[in-house]
Amino acid sequence: MYEQIGLIDQAPEEITPAANETQPEQPTAEAAPAVRYYEISEATARRANDANSMRDYKPGSATAEYRAAVDKAAALVASKKAAVSPYYHDKLDSLLDRYARRLAEYYNAYYRNEASCPSILISGGSNFPVNKKNKQNARRDSLFQEYKQIEGILDKIKGIGTGAVDLADPHAREILTDQLNAYQKSLDDAKAANAYYRKHKTLDGCPGIGPKEREWLTRPGVFAKGGGSPLELYGCPFPPYELQSRRGYIKRVADRLAELDKRQAEQAQPAESTKFDGGEIVRNLEADRLQILFDDKPDEDTRAALKSNGFRWSPRYQAWQRQLTANAESAARRALGLN
């Protein structure tokens, strides 16, 4: 394609995979996404080539370049599916389809723009349409901004499953339990390594410490430059702040498990709603949202109060809502002046 398209070893504290990620041995056949390709106008691509290049157009090259980009995105989705809960697979497929569709729209728009005005090297300078070329260049710049937005979809794909575990995920308990076990093991290994070093004055042969981690913990010769290994700086492989950090990880995951227990207990009870003059507050357990339903559109002051208390309008549910948490109901009552 043209130039514009391109265009056409881990530290000890990083002890577990990303929050929602698991690490199976290899992807399964079921994880492979079904790729939908959108049409690329070969005729327009040919005209764009002829308007900008002395070389003959290779039939099918525009479609081949587009499909190669989509295939690369599909491979990213497949690898991501192998690493995250099935809860996220539909979202990954949706992002892949959005990428394929928008990229096709971009390619076709790009070729139309390139075909709209020939290069001066092709047409010659006599009566060259300068104003038309300026418009083409401006459109080229706006298309490049669109292209960067489309490439941002790949970043969204990479980010799926890397945040906090979604408690609505049917696999949330399994994921959190695995995380808790991993963090607990890392803490136990660190404390055992400290005890081993106190006794033997070396980490050679220490259980739970692999070669790469041992090399990092014992790296020499940089203390004078403001760095240094934990052994050089603190006299032990895992100083107190590191142990405290790992205890913090354990507590946060344990708190999430406790919150999951609470939510599942709530889901075992019938959904409740609280009536107020002009509407009701609904605990939508399935959507994991506290929702405020109004009989009529609330006034501007009420909408401002809802926003300041974390509520956002949902066209899907026709409700003002926020995540169903312990503080959500008190926030709703505060926004509505029901306290």
Side-chain angles (χ1 to χ4, degrees):
M1 211 183 203
Y2 303 103
E3 182 177 355
Q4 183 180 347
I5 298 182
L7 275 188
I8 312 188
D9 288 300
Q10 196 173 40
E13 60 269 21
E14 297 171 351
I15 52 180
T16 63
N20 290 356
E21 297 191 359
T22 57
Q23 300 295 320
E25 293 181 3
Q26 56 185 348
T28 64
E30 298 157 350
V35 183
R36 177 182 178 184
Y37 300 106
Y38 292 81
E39 184 177 357
I40 301 298
S41 174
E42 285 289 323
T44 307
R46 179 186 293 276
R47 290 197 301 272
N49 176 82
D50 294 345
N52 291 275
S53 175
M54 296 290 190
R55 292 176 296 179
D56 291 336
Y57 179 73
K58 181 180 178 180
S61 58
T63 297
E65 184 173 352
Y66 160 73
R67 290 196 172 201
V70 174
D71 287 344
K72 187 176 179 180
L76 173 63
V77 167
S79 65
K80 198 68 181 177
K81 281 186 173 183
V84 301
S85 165
Y87 176 74
Y88 297 97
H89 289 191
D90 287 345
K91 186 171 185 179
L92 286 165
D93 286 337
S94 176
L95 286 171
L96 175 59
D97 184 69
R98 186 193 309 174
Y99 177 80
R101 174 178 53 80
R102 290 193 59 189
L103 188 65
E105 292 170 353
Y106 167 79
Y107 269 53
N108 288 325
Y110 181 84
Y111 290 131
R112 283 195 301 272
N113 186 58
E114 292 301 306
S116 67
C117 184
S119 166
I120 193 170
L121 299 177
I122 301 297
S123 66
S126 179
N127 296 321
F128 186 75
V130 175
N131 289 337
K132 191 172 185 179
K133 175 58 71 172
N134 288 338
K135 290 181 180 179
Q136 182 190 54
N137 289 337
R139 176 58 174 154
R140 186 180 289 156
D141 290 341
S142 66
L143 281 170
F144 184 58
Q145 297 306 314
E146 291 180 24
Y147 178 78
K148 290 197 293 185
Q149 292 177 6
I150 295 167
E151 288 296 287
I153 297 174
L154 299 179
D155 293 330
K156 290 183 179 180
I157 291 172
K158 293 174 185 176
I160 292 292
T162 59
V165 176
D166 190 332
L167 298 185
D169 184 346
H171 304 271
R173 183 174 299 280
E174 177 185 353
I175 296 169
L176 287 169
T177 301
D178 287 346
Q179 286 185 355
L180 187 63
N181 292 338
Y183 284 132
Q184 185 62 58
K185 183 179 185 303
S186 75
L187 176 62
D188 293 342
D189 287 345
K191 291 193 294 186
N194 282 349
Y196 187 94
Y197 184 79
R198 285 195 300 270
K199 181 177 181 180
H200 300 283
K201 302 305 179 185
T202 180
L203 287 177
D204 292 343
C206 178
I209 302 296
K212 287 187 178 180
E213 188 172 17
R214 182 168 61 250
E215 180 181 355
W216 187 89
L217 290 169
T218 59
R219 66 194 188 282
V222 292
F223 179 74
K225 299 179 182 179
S229 70
L231 286 175
E232 190 175 9
L233 291 171
Y234 303 102
C236 63
F238 296 96
Y241 74 84
E242 176 62 28
L243 300 180
Q244 186 60 34
S245 175
R246 299 189 183 199
R247 291 188 184 99
Y249 295 145
I250 292 170
K251 183 180 185 304
R252 285 192 289 274
V253 176
D255 288 345
R256 293 286 283 169
L257 277 167
E259 184 178 352
L260 179 61
D261 288 339
K262 180 179 178 181
R263 291 192 183 191
Q264 290 182 341
E266 290 175 344
Q267 289 172 356
Q269 303 297 322
E272 299 175 357
S273 64
T274 301
K275 299 281 188 179
F276 63 89
D277 187 18
E280 64 178 328
I281 302 171
V282 177
R283 294 166 62 245
N284 189 329
L285 301 176
E286 182 178 354
D288 192 31
R289 294 293 183 269
L290 185 75
Q291 300 173 329
I292 303 176
L293 309 178
F294 290 93
D295 297 336
D296 299 300
K297 182 178 180 179
D299 58 39
E300 185 175 347
D301 289 341
T302 301
R303 297 198 303 272
L306 289 167
K307 292 177 182 178
S308 67
N309 282 277
F311 287 88
R312 295 294 179 267
W313 173 249
S314 169
R316 175 184 177 185
Y317 291 103
Q318 293 293 293
W320 288 85
Q321 63 180 25
R322 58 176 281 180
Q323 189 171 18
L324 184 58
T325 65
N327 295 326
E329 189 158 350
S330 60
R333 299 183 69 85
R334 183 166 57 250
L336 297 170
L338 301 178
N339 291 332

